[in-house]
Amino acid sequence: MSHALTPPRPARALTGYKPFWAKRFGPAPFLPTTRQEMEALGWDSCDIVIVTGDAYVDHPSFGMAVIGRVLEAQGFRVGIIPQPEWNAVESFQVLGRPNLFFGIAAGNMDSMINHYTADRRIRSDDAYTAGAAAGKRPDRATLVYTQRCQQAYKDVPVVIGGIEASLRRVAHYDYWQDKVRRSILADSKADLLVYGNAERAIVEIAHRLARREPVETMTDIRGTAFLVRSGFAPQGFIEIDSSEVDLPGRVDALPNPYEPPDHAGGNAIEGPEAADPTVIDAEPAEPAAAAAAVAEQPITIVPRRAARPAPPPRDRTVIRMPSYEQVRADPVLYAHASRVLHLETNPGNARALVQRHGERDVWINPPPLPLNTPEMDHVFDLPYARSPHPRYADEFGRHDGATRIPAWEMIRFSVNIMRGCFGGCTFCSITEHEGRIIQSRSADSIVREVEQMRTMPGFTGVVSDLGGPTANMYRLGCKSPEIEAACRKPSCVYPDICQNLRTDHGPLVKIYRRVRALPGIKKVLIGSGLRYDLAVKSLEYTRELVSHHVGGYLKIAPEHTERGPLSKMMKPGIGSYDRFKQLFDQFSAEAGKKQYLIPYFIAAHPGTTDEDMMNLALWLKQNGFKADQVQTFYPSPMATATAMYHSGLNPLKGVHRDERGERVDVVRGERRRRLHKAFLRWHDPNNWPLLREALKEMGRADLIGNGKHHLIPTYQPATDGSYQSARRKNSTPSKGTVLTQHTGLPPRAGLPCGRGPSAGAAGGAAARGAAPGRGAGGKPGSVAKGRKR
């Protein structure tokens, strides 16, 4: 395979391509999944076939639908093979040979996170499958699907994408095998990998393949990765070797202060001396006088900062990361590679990356340029059916019975208003996948989607969410495009909110008011995660949110109370939460509503000591919270916190082999992970024996007793070693009771502590996906919001 590399091309508008000839067929009610559906549309073949690990839901919250409809709008005939039987090649031939390429994605979740809990236990259900049935996709689905497609049609190019491919595009630590795996591109042997939001890349790939360009020549597309032979040196590119730590960067020779100014490469005289007629290079009238002047005049050293050579152009620079073999054998180099990768995530200044895998190199082009507002509107205004494919319907044509798809139910009446997140939380995958630059839709496009939603069966007038990865980042961003393009900070809000960040929530407030004023809209709720340190910057927004858009409780995620783990998460201090809670309570009282703020916390995150968890448990008890569901850190591929977990180093502070490298307390082993979860569940009698033992070992036996200031009692009731989660039926709050985490409502009278109501269907769905959501965007509906927390 030969490659002639050129720098990535400038971005082209999604609507700037001449449509493919099949545009004449028009949009399909649903993209076909069988030959019979193709024939009903008048198609003899598909140009592109998408294989996905999710059930096919034609809704802009599902990746296969977005990519399929975007390609359809370009004039291509697109078919979908959802959840094929992966042991049978025939399942990948049901739509025939695609004319252009196969597009493969594991689904809206990484298949391993979809299958296993943070404790590596097999999940009993799958929110992205009809009937929530488990086992409809294989482990490492992208690898399996790619192999089967190559077996089905050997000469058809295969393009892999989705969150699984996106987060595994480099050598990455795999939590389930407890080792570093190769790039998924090297393992799958696919022709191209597209990462992030792939509309720009996939449209260009489709049009160039339609023009009969070989897939091997497509090396200049942003947001893609491909394989080249090791040692390949592209013409015109400058390689920067970053395959080791503690190596100096570019070193320039120091200037010689005694060197004559006219010497090649020397320093010209600057400052007052340049205008002084007595300086040594002023030409005298007579040679003898000149010689005398030089002899009598002392040597003057003129300080001048050496002129650094201009850095190489970024579009022709590639950074060589430590190889797969190096990061597999050396956790320090793994942490270093993670730091290099995360420094090259801003599409305004990111450089290409290359990583050796044996005899081949994985070449990763810079991230895709974000979509502008008209392009976002184009993507979301496409003719989605906004429902599951009819193949999943019951005998009455409905999808709310035995064939219901929980992930669709959660986002069915929600609207995604933006993409991206500049929070930079280290356990989160949003920056690696969607980027940190906010991409917002127009108000008119959002209103059109709500108006369309009003006509859908089952709509009761309640919009479940107007949000995104973070509910209140709509239209926020850097004040200066030049600063934004040059910035290399991993977060715009940590350790403090950047002075160049716009925090005006005015456009979002206008959206809220406009949508809830529409005829037929009774209530607009905000279900996406809220960045409360931004919310407190706008009292108007916080008052609007609390007064009109909270359905009894609002969930936010301070994640912890202690500075140690918060600094490893890049999350704000608990003081920001206290300030937001004060405003929340104030505005709730002004609105005459009893509403509850429900904080979420995470256990066993790198950098968390046992004492940190003990202090968090004390905070929970002092503030009257009992957690129904415990979030445990999930080391998802490519996250910064995963690099901490694997290496024991903090890549945020720089990576060194000596004492300069910051060591991180990593919570490993079943007993210690159980202990951290037990501190979050301090109220559960099943955890009391473990907590008593730990508190004594920590020298904090003073917290064991029967008083209000104690954490756990001395007595031990009979327990069965398990915990029954709270009842799902809501009850009326009463003064002085303890709040449950998911509802914010106290337990019903007469029930034991911790047996209060839960959040019903929404709470159950959140519980099923809560652990995945911590690392790789797994909460059902989280991809709809883009929420990969």
Side-chain angles (χ1 to χ4, degrees), residues 91-108:
S91 298
F92 297 80
Q93 298 173 325
V94 293
L95 298 180
R97 180 188 183 280
N99 299 322
L100 299 181
F101 67 91
F102 275 110
I104 293 177
N108 276 10

Side-chain angles (χ1 to χ4, degrees), residues 120-134:
R120 298 188 179 96
R121 296 174 181 169
I122 297 177
R123 299 186 189 276
S124 59
D125 57 4
D126 183 344
Y128 292 91
T129 301

Side-chain angles (χ1 to χ4, degrees), residues 331-623:
V332 175
L333 286 181
Y334 184 91
H336 172 66
S338 175
R339 179 175 174 83
V340 171
L341 175 75
H342 285 85
L343 284 173
E344 303 298 331
T345 56
N346 183 349
N349 59 55
R351 293 162 289 189
L353 301 171
V354 64
Q355 185 177 53
R356 179 166 296 179
H357 287 64
E359 298 301 318
R360 296 173 297 174
D361 283 346
V362 174
W363 185 288
I364 304 172
N365 278 326
L369 296 178
L371 302 183
N372 58 34
T373 295
E375 290 173 322
M376 285 284 288
D377 290 352
H378 167 74
V379 170
F380 283 89
D381 288 346
L382 293 172
Y384 303 97
R386 297 189 65 85
S387 69
H389 190 278
R391 66 189 290 166
Y392 307 113
D394 58 20
E395 63 272 22
F396 304 106
R398 300 171 59 179
H399 301 277
D400 53 0
T403 61
R404 69 186 184 90
I405 301 174
W408 173 69
E409 286 187 338
M410 176 167 282
I411 52 82
R412 184 178 181 182
F413 300 120
S414 68
V415 178
N416 193 344
I417 65 176
M418 46 77 69
R419 287 178 178 171
C421 180
F422 48 71
C425 301
T426 60
F427 52 79
C428 170
S429 64
I430 195 68
T431 299
E432 294 89 339
H433 188 60
E434 291 194 3
R436 66 175 185 171
I437 297 177
I438 303 303
Q439 305 159 67
S440 301
R441 298 169 63 184
S442 70
D444 290 342
S445 175
I446 295 168
V447 168
R448 283 195 297 270
E449 184 170 352
V450 175
E451 290 176 335
Q452 180 186 5
M453 199 162 55
R454 291 182 306 184
T455 65
M456 293 176 58
F459 183 67
T460 62
V462 178
V463 178
S464 61
D465 187 28
L466 287 180
T470 303
N472 59 324
M473 285 188 182
Y474 179 75
R475 292 202 177 281
L476 301 189
C478 193
K479 297 175 181 176
S480 166
E482 292 76 18
I483 293 176
E484 181 179 70
C487 182
R488 293 168 68 79
K489 292 176 59 178
S491 173
C492 299
V493 291
Y494 182 87
D496 296 303
I497 296 175
C498 179
Q499 61 182 357
N500 296 310
L501 181 67
R502 295 193 311 270
T503 58
D504 177 20
H505 288 61
L508 186 55
V509 171
K510 292 179 181 178
I511 287 289
Y512 288 174
R513 292 171 178 171
R514 183 173 172 184
V515 170
R516 73 170 185 263
L518 292 173
I521 301 300
K522 301 176 182 177
K523 185 79 172 178
V524 179
L525 300 174
I526 304 304
S528 300
L530 185 75
R531 193 78 195 198
Y532 52 86
D533 52 346
L534 288 173
V536 297
K537 297 292 184 180
S538 174
L539 297 184
E540 180 189 27
Y541 169 77
T542 305
R543 179 180 284 108
E544 190 80 13
L545 172 75
V546 174
S547 301
H548 301 284
H549 301 284
V550 176
Y553 64 94
L554 180 69
K555 294 177 288 186
I556 61 173
E559 308 297 1
H560 217 284
T561 58
E562 306 305 297
R563 177 178 291 274
L566 288 174
S567 68
K568 307 305 183 294
M569 301 176 187
M570 289 208 302
K571 291 286 288 186
I574 199 66
S576 295
Y577 166 82
D578 294 336
R579 171 60 176 155
F580 181 76
K581 183 179 186 304
Q582 176 188 358
L583 295 175
F584 182 89
D585 293 341
Q586 174 187 337
F587 295 144
S588 294
E590 291 177 1
K593 297 181 177 181
K594 290 185 177 180
Q595 299 180 143
Y596 302 89
L597 196 61
I598 307 304
Y600 275 64
F601 298 93
I602 188 168
H605 190 278
T608 308
T609 65
D610 298 347
E611 288 75 15
D612 290 332
M613 292 306 300
M614 177 192 69
N615 291 332
L616 174 54
L618 292 171
W619 186 94
L620 287 171
K621 182 170 184 179
Q622 290 165 4
N623 287 272

Side-chain angles (χ1 to χ4, degrees), residues 185-206:
L185 183 61
D187 276 344
S188 69
K189 300 180 178 63
D191 294 279
L192 281 175
L193 180 152
V194 292
Y195 66 91
N197 294 123
E199 291 93 347
R200 285 200 194 283
I202 206 71
V203 165
E204 182 170 352
I205 291 168

Side-chain angles (χ1 to χ4, degrees), residues 173 178 644-648 666-673:
Y173 172 74
D178 193 24
M644 297 180 192
Y645 179 89
H646 176 59
S647 68
V666 177
V667 184
R668 296 182 183 275
E670 182 179 356
R671 183 185 182 280
R672 195 167 178 218
R673 286 175 69 87

